[in-house]
Amino acid sequence: MPATTLTCRRIAMALRPLLLSALLAGCAALPSLEGRIASTVITETKHTQLGEALAPLAAQHPGVSGIYPLADGRDAFAARALLAAAAQRSLDVQYYIWHKDITGTLLFDALRQAAERGVRVRLLLDDNNTSGLDQTLAMLGKQKNIDIRLFNPLVPRSPRALAFMTDFSRVNRRMHNKSFTADNQATIVGGRNVGDEYFGAAGEVLFSDLDVLAIGPVVDDVSQQFDRYWNSASAYPAQLLLTKPVAGDAATIAAEADRIDDTKAAEEYMQALRTSPFVRQMMERTLPFEWAKTRMVSDDPAKVLDKARPGTGVAENLKNLLGVPKKEVDLISPYFVPGKAGTKAFADLAHKGVGVRILTNALEATDVAAVHAGYAKWRKPLLEAGVLLYESRRSWEVGDAREQPGRFGSSASSLHAKTFSVDDQRIFVGSFNFDPRSIELNTEMGLVIDSPALASQLGQAMRSTIPQRAYQVLLAPDGSLYWIARNANGTITRYDTEPGTSVWQRMGVAILSVLPIDWLL
């Protein structure tokens, strides 16, 4: 028998199990939601310790909400841990990513401890990033008072890639929302997922990110938004999807948290938390909140089923709430893919004399090279229109990220904050990236805050701090791009190719940039 025939037969035999699995997966269906019990926010919480501490503050500022930016990762973790410890009636927690690392395990245990105290805990996770968590979630779900739902779940559970092969149009859409709400009295909304890299606990791998802690009337808006997702057609009770844990229950999670507590890395991290001025201020109820009119924006959860009403998305709401810029726009987006329409919109603003400053990741700092390829092709037309483009460096000389955090970010390996301001008057903080995926595919949420103080801080950072800590992209007379880095000693370094990258990285981006994949980014 010819060798080629043998080779083909071996390939066919090797692929047969995979093809069979794919066919069986195609027959797999999502479980029925018949009998699923709806639940809503617990509103009678004014007599909880959070209610008694925060309600008097809100009463002094009727009609507005109190906002405190959480730029430092350790503060962001501490805020969640302290809210979980203080809650007496409810915790509503919604995330896109939750890692089983130091901070992820400790927060799982914080939810478990709250449930043991009698707090109702509702945990809603997008299912795209729960790989490796099935057993942990199944154990946590055995704890009384904890209810877990998976949003837009993957079927089959393993191998998960088969769900994309057989149901791509659905599972390609994800819930990107992020919120952590305690007793309907305080909430945390922003760009952070749950994981060490988001909370400054991952050593060399850090994200520069931004959340806000909010109190006042906007908290109930976030709670109502959570209810919409929790009771939506895409939220499946975890027990319908997960197999029973092989061994262990919620106590196993407590033991894992205890084990992590004893590690050197965790001890160093917790020591940093104990010395944090933010923790002291939060415990002493002396946080300097910025009081401002604050409005929540959120996509309809039906968006992942392609059933949301046109014109109701976050992108459309932001246009209405932020208004037409008259003087300047400052935008920070780690995944910035403006496309033809977005590029024209920014160019039109610049041609009208509006100052447009944009910060995104440099190729050396991004964690998704394909997204950088989707952005890179639009740099020249943006620069030709007069838009100022900055790309976050992987590192810089001034201090350490965990020692010298800025108000809206710090020295980190990758930018992850999603925020923009208009005319130093209004600012958005949330999960929304300026890319086709956020606009068309994923659900997003965030807060629009009418605060000149916060908006001008972002503007000031974009005018002074960011140029010192990012590459500025410029256009040479011959039409080529070059990058400059402002050094601590006052000198400037010029790069004629993407700084900090290899020829293979640049070649890969060049190939990706010509592929018609922008709609996926």
Side-chain angles (χ1 to χ4, degrees):
M1 186 178 293
T4 53
T5 302
L6 284 171
T7 301
C8 291
R9 181 171 294 177
R10 286 177 183 142
I11 292 173
M13 292 292 288
L15 290 178
R16 185 178 295 172
L18 180 61
L19 294 172
L20 180 59
S21 295
L23 288 171
L24 292 174
C27 299
L30 288 166
S32 170
L33 289 179
E34 184 178 354
R36 184 190 67 173
I37 299 173
S39 63
T40 57
V41 58
I42 298 174
T43 56
E44 296 301 317
T45 59
K46 64 181 180 180
H47 294 304
T48 61
Q49 58 183 351
L50 282 173
E52 291 178 352
L54 301 176
L57 283 176
Q60 296 172 20
H61 304 86
V64 294
S65 296
I67 303 294
Y68 185 88
L70 298 168
D72 179 72
R74 292 175 306 197
D75 290 349
F77 174 82
R80 289 163 171 82
L82 289 171
L83 286 184
Q88 292 180 307
R89 296 294 308 280
S90 66
L91 284 170
D92 290 334
V93 181
Q94 178 180 17
Y95 281 98
Y96 174 61
I97 292 173
W98 194 303
H99 291 317
K100 190 183 177 183
D101 48 19
I102 292 175
T103 55
T105 299
L106 292 178
L107 283 179
F108 272 143
D109 193 51
L111 300 185
R112 180 198 62 80
Q113 291 182 54
E116 276 196 345
R117 298 193 310 269
V119 176
R120 185 192 71 178
V121 177
R122 296 188 294 176
L123 175 60
L124 179 62
L125 297 178
D126 183 89
D127 197 33
N128 190 52
N129 291 285
T130 60
S131 179
L133 283 181
D134 279 14
Q135 286 291 292
T136 299
L137 294 175
M139 287 189 291
L140 190 64
K142 293 175 69 174
Q143 169 73 49
K144 183 181 178 182
N145 298 322
I146 293 182
D147 198 357
I148 302 171
R149 293 186 180 179
L150 299 178
F151 192 89
N152 204 23
L154 276 63
V155 177
R157 305 303 295 166
S158 178
R160 294 163 68 94
L162 289 180
F164 285 88
M165 294 171 60
T166 59
D167 198 6
F168 181 79
S169 62
R170 178 181 66 84
V171 299
N172 184 46
R173 295 170 175 265
R174 307 310 320 172
M175 180 192 75
H176 199 230
N177 310 36
K178 303 157 179 71
S179 67
F180 193 108
T181 306
D183 285 344
N184 199 36
Q185 294 291 334
T187 190
I188 299 170
V189 173
R192 282 186 180 89
N193 295 297
V194 174
D196 288 355
E197 63 269 43
Y198 302 97
F199 295 130
E204 296 179 357
V205 183
L206 299 172
F207 278 128
S208 176
D209 219 325
L210 178 64
D211 296 314
V212 294
L213 170 65
I215 64 175
V218 77
V219 178
D220 192 60
D221 295 335
V222 174
S223 294
Q224 298 293 337
Q225 178 271 161
F226 183 92
D227 284 350
R228 290 178 71 200
Y229 278 77
W230 184 257
N231 297 309
S232 73
S234 295
Y236 285 75
Q239 66 268 24
L240 298 180
L241 297 152
L242 307 181
T243 58
K244 291 183 179 180
V246 176
D249 53 20
T252 307
I253 294 172
E256 180 68 10
D258 288 341
R259 185 193 66 77
I260 285 177
D261 276 338
D262 292 335
T263 64
K264 183 183 178 189
E267 176 53 34
E268 290 177 352
Y269 186 72
M270 298 308 289
Q271 179 58 31
L273 290 182
R274 285 191 285 270
T275 59
S276 164
F278 166 80
V279 172
R280 186 184 68 253
Q281 288 178 311
M282 192 166 179
M283 295 294 288
E284 296 174 353
R285 305 176 186 177
T286 58
L287 279 180
F289 286 102
E290 171 71 14
W291 293 92
K293 183 178 180 181
T294 304
R295 291 154 292 180
M296 188 209 68
V297 291
S298 174
D299 281 310
D300 186 333
K303 181 179 178 181
V304 299
L305 300 175
D306 201 20
K307 294 181 179 179
R309 288 185 294 110
T312 61
V314 167
E316 292 84 355
N317 281 312
L318 287 176
K319 291 178 186 177
N320 297 330
L321 294 176
L322 290 169
V324 179
K326 295 180 175 59
K327 296 186 301 181
E328 56 189 9
V329 174
D330 292 300
L331 185 147
I332 296 178
S333 180
Y335 311 120
F336 178 65
V337 184
K340 185 175 181 180
T343 299
K344 182 179 185 304
F346 286 122
D348 288 346
L349 288 173
H351 289 147
K352 293 175 182 176
V354 175
V356 181
R357 292 179 289 261
I358 297 171
L359 172 67
T360 191
N361 274 311
L363 178 54
E364 70 171 16
T366 189
D367 60 335
V368 187
V371 171
H372 187 83
Y375 146 72
K377 69 183 75 172
W378 302 106
R379 285 186 293 207
K380 280 189 180 181
L382 288 169
L383 292 170
E384 288 168 348
V387 172
L388 295 181
L389 276 184
Y390 297 97
E391 296 179 359
S392 184
R393 303 189 222 176
R394 185 171 180 82
S395 62
W396 56 82
E397 299 173 6
V398 184
D400 179 272
R402 295 157 291 181
E403 296 172 351
Q404 298 181 341
R407 184 74 162 180
F408 286 96
S410 55
S411 171
S413 63
S414 188
L415 177 72
H416 198 256
K418 305 145 181 58
T419 181
F420 44 91
S421 66
V422 171
D423 294 337
D424 279 352
Q425 296 295 311
R426 297 169 299 283
I427 186 171
F428 168 82
V429 178
S431 66
F432 181 85
N433 287 298
F434 202 97
D435 63 10
R437 175 162 287 278
S438 283
I439 296 171
E440 303 292 343
L441 297 175
N442 291 350
T443 67
E444 308 286 352
M445 70 175 294
L447 303 179
V448 174
I449 308 161
D450 291 358
S451 168
L454 294 179
S456 62
Q457 285 177 21
L458 178 58
Q460 182 60 30
M462 291 292 281
R463 288 186 287 268
S464 59
T465 307
I466 297 304
Q468 301 300 320
R469 297 186 173 186
Y471 301 113
Q472 183 174 1
V473 190
L474 296 167
L475 203 57
D478 65 358
S480 62
L481 299 180
Y482 67 97
W483 292 254
I484 62 169
R486 296 172 174 86
N487 305 314
N489 61 8
T491 62
I492 290 178
T493 303
R494 172 172 169 154
Y495 303 87
D496 291 315
T497 58
E498 305 241 19
T501 64
S502 67
V503 63
W504 300 110
Q505 285 176 293
R506 297 192 293 273
M507 185 180 300
V509 166
I511 293 171
L512 288 170
S513 66
V514 300
L515 298 178
I517 59 173
D518 281 14
W519 66 280
L520 287 170
L521 303 178

